[in-house]
Amino acid sequence: MTDTSSTRPGEPAGGPVPPASPPPPTAAPQHAQAHAPAWPGPGGPVPPPRSLARRLLAPVATLAGVAVAFAYVGTVDPNEPGHYPVCPLLRFTGIYCPGCGGLRSAHAFVHGDLPAALGANALAVVGYGLFAVLMAVWLIRAIRGVPMRLAASPVLWWGVGAVLALFTLVRNLPFGSALAP
């Protein structure tokens, strides 16, 4: 007599049958391997480096766009009414936002008047300096063929937000009137 206590209805008497294993992979034909994409990775081929012109395309295009924007603000004076829209926060609440005075600051900066640029928006002038450093690093890395990756941690973003909030608060208080545009 056989013991059928371990079998289920519909199963063979020997127990469950293991699933069939997939067939082993077959080698690709020689002509298919010649046209396979070159993926970088451990042990894999590395793609050929991009040309210098292609590496410089993004940073130079960014720099050109910013230069055009500064040239426009340099020629169209934001101190004359009617050229640019009014800040909605200032218009409806009377509170200076962190960007208030930014166009006047850029106009003064383009014309080489650094004290006026700092008086209109000191934080914007600091931003111009940070942008210049970032662009220099990006261009140098592009020339060397090293990719530029910006990975900002949440702590950095919270810090930037805190600086903007503090700047906004101080420039709207009586003792911070030197920071008001």
Side-chain angles (χ1 to χ4, degrees), residues 43-86:
V46 177
R50 296 186 310 170
S51 69
L52 179 63
R54 180 144 169 112
R55 290 190 316 257
L56 288 175
L57 181 64
V60 169
T62 302
L63 193 57
V66 171
V68 166
F70 267 85
Y72 179 79
V73 172
T75 57
V76 180
D77 190 0
N79 294 308
E80 296 176 13
H83 292 292
Y84 299 99
V86 177

Side-chain angles (χ1 to χ4, degrees), residues 109-142:
F109 190 80
V110 167
H111 290 278
D113 190 359
L114 191 58
L118 285 167
N121 192 324
L123 196 59
V125 176
V126 171
Y128 308 151
L130 290 174
F131 178 78
V133 169
L134 180 67
M135 283 306 304
V137 169
W138 193 6
L139 285 167
I140 290 169
R141 290 177 68 103

Side-chain angles (χ1 to χ4, degrees), residues 77-105:
D77 190 0
N79 294 308
E80 296 176 13
H83 292 292
Y84 299 99
V86 177
C87 173
L89 185 68
L90 180 62
R91 181 176 184 178
F92 294 120
T93 66
I95 296 173
Y96 295 117
C97 75
C100 281
L103 289 173
R104 290 187 295 275
S105 173

